[in-house]
Amino acid sequence: SNSIERVHGGVLSNSSVSMKERSFEEVSHEQAGEKAAIGRVAAGMISSGDSIILDVGTTATAVADALVQRKDIEDVIVFTNGITTALKLEPEIPRYTVILMGGVLRPRQHSLVQPMSGEWLERLNANIAFIGCNGIDVDSGVTNVNVPEAHVKQMMVGAARRVVVVADGSKLGKTSLVKFADVDDIDVVVTTSSATDEGIEAIRSANRDVILADNPQPASNE
């Protein structure tokens, strides 16, 4: 049941709101505090010796920022298709190994997409993948606004033993253009308390973990 938003000259269902892709810079200041909190919780899941896949986008970049601050770990291998992500982590080499997956550069997100990234991902068996999205909904799955990145995200889901979706609260209950995973394909959603209770409960009722990064105490008594 899509909520309807009134706009001048008609109505717009929320499923169409997130269709237009905006640039990395345009969204980087939005929910910046929430994204930083998500980044800290996500980076806290990483241990020395882990191999991780780190997606593109502003929320995944917040994970990279937090990973720079994790001075207590080393020997982490980071596979990424995000140029911004790689540059954030560059000062931490050689403590971290940063592997940029190849591909065609998309300017709006500074992301590398097909064809070359797929050759890497088909062979990878990483410990954890941290993946951003434009929407996550139990019925329509985990969705993204553009096709080339969604294709890479889909392969990232298959290339890691544990899949963590990093998405601020505004993404829960939203549906975007392309589905790249079912909720069943992921393990954890790290989000924020700006998400609706219905959005959070829907994912928890599908037996997936939801962590509210800005309020890390679990709502259920685990």
Side-chain angles (χ1 to χ4, degrees):
S1 56
N2 285 324
S3 61
I4 300 293
E5 190 180 324
R6 188 171 296 285
V7 291
H8 294 294
V11 293
L12 193 65
S13 82
N14 76 356
S15 59
S16 61
V17 171
S18 55
M19 293 305 168
K20 183 178 180 309
E21 183 179 19
R22 297 182 305 146
S23 73
F24 182 97
E25 286 73 21
E26 245 179 289
V27 298
S28 61
H29 64 279
E30 292 178 6
Q31 287 99 23
E34 292 186 28
K35 288 172 184 173
I38 290 169
R40 285 190 295 272
V41 167
M45 299 177 173
I46 300 164
S47 308
S48 290
D50 274 348
S51 55
I52 70 165
I53 296 171
L54 194 47
D55 195 12
V56 301
T58 53
T59 312
T61 303
V63 180
D65 280 331
L67 201 46
V68 169
Q69 304 306 320
R70 287 287 315 266
K71 305 297 184 190
D72 56 317
I73 59 175
E74 57 185 8
D75 300 325
V76 175
I77 303 174
V78 183
F79 292 88
T80 185
N81 64 326
I83 290 178
T84 315
T85 313
L87 290 173
K88 294 268 187 196
L89 293 169
E90 188 181 10
E92 305 307 307
I93 298 167
R95 188 165 72 93
Y96 298 155
T97 300
V98 181
I99 299 175
L100 203 51
M101 296 184 283
V104 177
L105 178 61
R106 296 189 74 247
R108 294 184 79 80
Q109 300 299 333
H110 321 306
S111 61
L112 296 162
V113 296
Q114 289 294 58
M116 280 89 91
S117 49
E119 295 175 17
W120 268 113
L121 287 165
E122 280 162 19
R123 298 182 175 86
L124 267 192
N125 184 23
N127 296 101
I128 315 179
F130 296 94
I131 302 180
C133 65
N134 295 113
I136 175 165
D137 177 84
V138 170
D139 296 324
S140 47
V142 197
T143 51
N144 197 60
V145 73
N146 73 72
V147 175
E149 274 175 27
H151 189 204
V152 176
K153 289 172 193 281
Q154 181 178 3
M155 287 187 295
M156 285 177 167
V157 169
R161 275 166 270 181
R162 192 161 187 237
V163 178
V164 179
V165 169
V166 289
D168 68 73
S170 69
K171 312 278 173 57
L172 267 69
K174 292 271 164 50
T175 299
S176 199
L177 185 62
V178 197
K179 177 167 110 171
F180 63 85
D182 287 311
V183 170
D184 285 352
D185 299 328
I186 66 174
D187 298 292
V188 185
V189 179
V190 182
T191 187
T192 45
S193 51
S194 63
T196 63
D197 291 344
E198 302 86 64
I200 295 165
E201 282 313 312
I203 295 169
R204 284 190 171 148
S205 64
N207 290 321
R208 305 293 106 177
D209 286 334
V210 179
I211 299 170
L212 302 181
D214 51 351
N215 176 22
Q217 278 63 43
S220 59
N221 21 325
E222 289 171 34

